Amino acid sequence: MQLLTIQRILGILLSLFSITMLPAAAVSFYYDDGSSQAFISAFILLLVTGLIFWFPARKHQKELKIRDGFIVVVMFWIALGISGSLPFFLTEVPEMSFTDAVFESMSGLTTTGATVLTGLDSLPEAVLFYRQFLQWLGGMGIVVLAVAILPLLGVGGMQLYRAEMPGPMKDAKLTPRITETAKALWYIYLSLTVGFAVAFYLAGMSWFDAIGHSFSTVAIGGFSTHDASIGYFNSTTIEMITVVFMLLAGMNFALHFLAWRHRSIKHYWADAELRAYVWILAVISMVVSGYLYFTHTYQDPWTAIHQGIFQTVSIGTTAGYTTADYSSWPGFLPILLLMASYIGGCAGSTAGGMKVIRVMLLFKQGYREILRLIHPNAVFAVKLNNKALPTKVVAAVWGFLAMYVFCFSIMHLFLMATGLDIVTSFSAVTACLNNLGPGLGEVGANFSSINSPAKWVLCIAMLLGRLEIFTLLVVLTPAFWRR
């Protein structure tokens, strides 16, 4: 293991991340909100720490091996999650404990959107901007990680594209070199961010709100600059624009890249995962809208349809924006929406959840087992986009599901052991493991009231969900550390 090379990379990461404090400091100076000192102090502290790590190892530039890659990826999220908490911890308004500061930072960088903050409308503008900016940075990190880096390590959602099977790509990389891939994704991500911000502004938001919500929407993060989230604006236009943006951000960014490269949109509907993604959200939207209307939750059918579509897309893509208190909706709707977050968005997107492609393969495999019972001697292949999948791909998906359920069960039981009720603990783990944000019970509005041990466990849940389980668990196994 190349420890000095890993140390050098950590130093570079911390030094670069320190620069992210400067835009928030500039916002503080512009609005004169009194929080600039916290961001400047965090900038200096992180820069100095990064240089201390980097300087002794600056000449060690050996090629990383697969094990080193896993360490770098996990280290990236843990180190930046803790580093990102500094401004929250140092600022006087809001006054936050170290646990709350790390929770908020981890939630932002993993684009979970679970928050411990209340009274957002009265917080300093720099703090509000920084929360949104964290999600934007985390979303870009997720895209590059999922599409450009994890395939090289053999993990992540995009591993399913490696053998020319489930998607439109012929190779794990969009371009011959990983640096070119990352650059292409940056262009697409930045273009979507700018487009979202302009559209939000034209729809009636201020530039501050428009930029902040474009950051969290393209990242499918769900942080907002207002306590009432998107509902603050009371605008059907803004809400429907947000629905379209959440749908776009929940798609595989490889499809956006192909559309940009070939100047054609035919790749979108040709992808089986995208078709399933649209159909799943459409069916759930119809069920939710119909139930809201026929239970007289909303007397106007258009209001029921509007609310049903928005909340389904928001929670189904794991964005977590709200326009209504869905936890108080009648019947099975709150649980249905939470279950939708387990599916999540497409592989290679900024969405959380298990990813649509895994759910598709699980369904196809289950159906194959039924056919085998009927025709024991027949040979049935699991196909996607008319191509048969190797057995190892299907086995990997089953392994992922098993670890997903195991991790969820352990964390759910731990949260109940800390004193949380079953609904709160279930929804809190669901919201954090799926990188969703809002839950039910005590965490319906925010996570401020739960105890500190529960918050630390939920930070782990956010990391597990964002790194797609295996990337984090692999470094915890004894076999990983054996020579």
Side-chain angles (χ1 to χ4, degrees), residues 397-419:
V397 174
W398 278 109
F400 177 87
L401 176 63
M403 295 309 300
Y404 209 85
V405 173
F406 176 77
C407 292
F408 173 87
S409 302
I410 294 298
M411 291 185 289
H412 177 34
L413 291 172
F414 184 91
L415 260 63
M416 290 186 65
T418 66

Side-chain angles (χ1 to χ4, degrees), residues 189-204:
Y189 193 78
L190 183 60
S191 298
L192 288 174
T193 304
V194 172
F196 291 3
V198 171
F200 278 139
Y201 176 74
L202 294 177

Side-chain angles (χ1 to χ4, degrees), residues 161 250-252 271 273-274 277 344-351 355-357:
Y161 290 91
M251 296 177 186
N252 189 334
D271 182 49
E273 183 187 25
L274 180 60
Y277 167 70
C346 300
S349 72
T350 56
K355 303 297 187 297
V356 173
I357 198 167

Side-chain angles (χ1 to χ4, degrees), residues 429-466:
V429 176
T430 297
C432 292
L433 189 60
N434 292 331
N435 303 124
L436 167 62
L440 304 174
E442 291 183 41
V443 295
N446 57 70
F447 288 67
S448 61
S449 63
I450 62 175
N451 56 76
S452 293
K455 289 174 183 174
W456 283 106
V457 170
L458 293 177
C459 285
I460 297 173
M462 296 178 204
L463 274 177
L464 280 170
R466 183 43 65 203

Side-chain angles (χ1 to χ4, degrees), residues 111-113 132 135 216-217 219-224 229 318-322 436:
T111 73
T112 300
Q132 309 298 112
Q135 293 207 318
S216 56
T217 303
I220 306 192
F223 274 166
S224 177
S229 190
T318 72
Y321 284 134
T322 57
L436 167 62

Side-chain angles (χ1 to χ4, degrees), residues 246-266:
M246 290 186 292
L247 287 171
L248 288 173
M251 296 177 186
N252 189 334
F253 270 66
L255 296 177
H256 296 323
F257 174 83
L258 292 172
W260 169 73
R261 167 178 276 186
H262 299 292
R263 303 294 189 271
S264 172
I265 61 173
K266 65 180 182 180

